[in-house]
Amino acid sequence: MSQTKSSSAAVSNSTAPQLAEAAARPRSVTLIYCPLHLGGPHAGASMGPAAMKVAMLVSKIQQIGFTVAREVDIAVPEALCWWEKSTNQARCVPEIGQVSLDVARAVEEALDAGTIPITLGGDHSLAIGSIAGVSNYYRKRKEEFGVMWFDAHGDINTPESSHSGNVHGMPFAVSLGDGDERLTKLLGFAPKLDASRCALIGIRDLDSEEVKLIAKAGIAPFTMRDVDDLGMAGVVREALRRVGAEGSQGSAHESKLRNFHVSFDLDVIDPDVAPGVSTASRGGLSYRESHHALELLADTGMVASIDIVELNPARDLRNQTAELAVDLVQSVLGKNIL
Ligand SMILES: [Mn+2]
């Protein structure tokens, strides 16, 4: 069950003239707090939403001229899943499935209400739910949408390929229709994503099996080497082309996308900058590269739904990763320097 409450304050759009370009987009967000930690052994992920609240999430969103229409708290079962005793190839699937359903409904409801859903984690297994909700929304409208997935990892393991059984290493695969059926068939249909409409950006730490799975899936992968070679602007431009975004040059897709889901795993950022994550990996995005990527996506005016995941305050230093996460929310909503 999820509980909801209305947010009190609202800020006039006129306070944000720099956002005029994206005026066609909703000026209103729904914040979905999902303290999910069952996707891995890192219980600290459950404190992620609380740490972002401490970092002034709501007021920073209001500062850039957005209204927080609604805040939703997703309840995560704690007592049902005994991590250490769970020996399945995919651990805690029934519990994650229940949370995913609640997240999916909250996300779809937020889109139906004309707001941008921002799901705040919590580990990345919550994307099983958020993407299911987004997918169902566009499915009803017979529209396509794209995914921009930022991650140090592939998150494309299956119960067969995974060494750990951690579901937070599987949400991309699940969304593409590959994995435990209790998750892939959430809301009664699969797959949730068209692989040719998906980009995966910032990868540098893949299992050998995942390398094959990425090639087989047909998504557009961009490694840290690509970021080094092309720069972030080049990577984002190429990602938009590969998935067939409207306005991109030379796309193979006939129909062009106008809506994107951004699934942002904070571990895509270098741990020197963002230490407060469960599975840190060196050699990640710099502070500016992470902001730049999201600013460039905001410029397209096509960001319709967002996940910010894997914040683990138990690993953080003075809440700096939570503060960065909140600043990144501002960037993806279109905050500019001038
Ligand atoms: Mn991830």
Side-chain angles (χ1 to χ4, degrees):
M1 288 290 286
S2 53
Q3 298 166 343
T4 62
K5 61 179 188 274
S6 291
S7 182
S8 49
V11 169
S12 156
N13 290 353
S14 64
T15 58
Q18 77 272 27
L19 295 170
E21 271 179 35
R25 280 283 150 197
R27 309 289 309 162
S28 177
V29 303
T30 298
L31 299 178
I32 300 164
Y33 303 114
C34 183
L36 179 58
H37 61 92
L38 301 173
H42 316 280
S46 64
M47 298 189 285
M52 283 187 260
K53 288 180 197 175
V54 169
M56 311 291 284
L57 175 68
V58 170
S59 60
K60 285 209 165 181
I61 288 172
Q62 291 167 339
Q63 266 172 30
I64 59 166
F66 277 75
T67 301
V68 176
R70 199 171 164 216
E71 295 173 83
V72 181
D73 287 305
I74 302 294
V76 175
E78 301 212 31
L80 299 178
C81 178
W82 292 94
W83 180 263
E84 302 80 0
K85 293 181 188 161
S86 174
T87 54
N88 292 338
Q89 283 180 304
R91 301 172 191 254
C92 303
V93 165
E95 293 82 1
I96 291 170
Q98 178 55 53
V99 171
S100 299
L101 193 58
D102 287 347
V103 171
R105 286 177 176 147
V107 165
E108 192 176 347
E109 216 172 287
L111 287 166
D112 280 335
T115 68
I116 297 174
I118 308 179
T119 308
L120 303 146
D123 73 55
H124 216 158
S125 60
L126 68 80
I128 294 168
S130 62
I131 289 174
V134 169
S135 183
N136 206 38
Y137 173 83
Y138 291 109
R139 188 166 170 257
K140 286 184 303 194
R141 284 159 184 74
K142 298 187 167 45
E143 278 180 58
E144 291 184 281
F145 71 101
V147 168
M148 293 288 163
W149 191 298
F150 291 86
D151 216 302
H153 311 95
D155 289 3
I156 201 161
N157 268 302
T158 64
E160 293 74 37
S161 74
S162 172
H163 301 299
S164 65
N166 295 347
V167 175
H168 78 153
M170 307 180 187
F172 212 161
V174 167
S175 301
L176 291 163
D178 209 354
D180 191 303
E181 284 201 350
R182 290 168 291 177
L183 301 176
T184 58
K185 299 231 172 110
L186 199 74
L187 302 180
F189 70 100
K192 304 298 190 292
L193 296 177
D194 172 349
S196 75
R197 299 299 200 173
C198 299
L200 171 57
I201 297 170
I203 42 175
R204 56 191 179 276
D205 187 3
L206 303 171
D207 300 337
S208 56
E209 202 62 28
E210 278 190 303
V211 173
K212 295 177 209 156
L213 289 167
I214 286 172
K216 199 176 121 206
I219 60 175
F222 297 90
T223 64
M224 280 309 299
R225 172 68 196 267
D226 294 320
V227 176
D228 295 338
D229 287 349
L230 305 174
M232 189 47 86
V235 165
V236 170
R237 192 184 312 118
E238 181 63 8
L240 290 168
R241 185 188 71 78
R242 289 279 298 274
V243 303
E246 191 170 271
S248 59
Q249 301 299 312
S251 168
H253 290 276
E254 263 182 38
S255 64
K256 298 294 186 282
L257 296 178
R258 303 213 56 205
N259 295 290
F260 284 100
H261 177 78
V262 175
S263 200
F264 194 94
D265 188 325
L266 291 161
D267 72 24
V268 76
I269 306 167
D270 194 89
D272 284 349
V273 178
V277 296
S278 295
T279 51
S281 173
R282 293 189 72 188
L285 299 185
S286 70
Y287 178 87
R288 265 311 299 165
E289 282 167 342
S290 55
H291 275 289
H292 192 200
L294 297 178
E295 290 164 5
L296 290 164
L297 290 178
D299 285 350
T300 67
M302 298 184 201
V303 177
S305 49
I306 301 158
D307 309 319
I308 304 285
V309 301
E310 294 288 345
L311 178 61
N312 185 336
R315 302 276 173 94
D316 207 1
L317 296 169
R318 297 170 190 263
N319 219 28
Q320 74 178 71
T321 310
E323 286 170 8
L324 173 56
V326 169
D327 291 347
L328 290 169
V329 169
Q330 290 188 313
S331 284
V332 76
L333 290 176
K335 185 189 182 207
N336 289 318
I337 292 168
L338 283 174

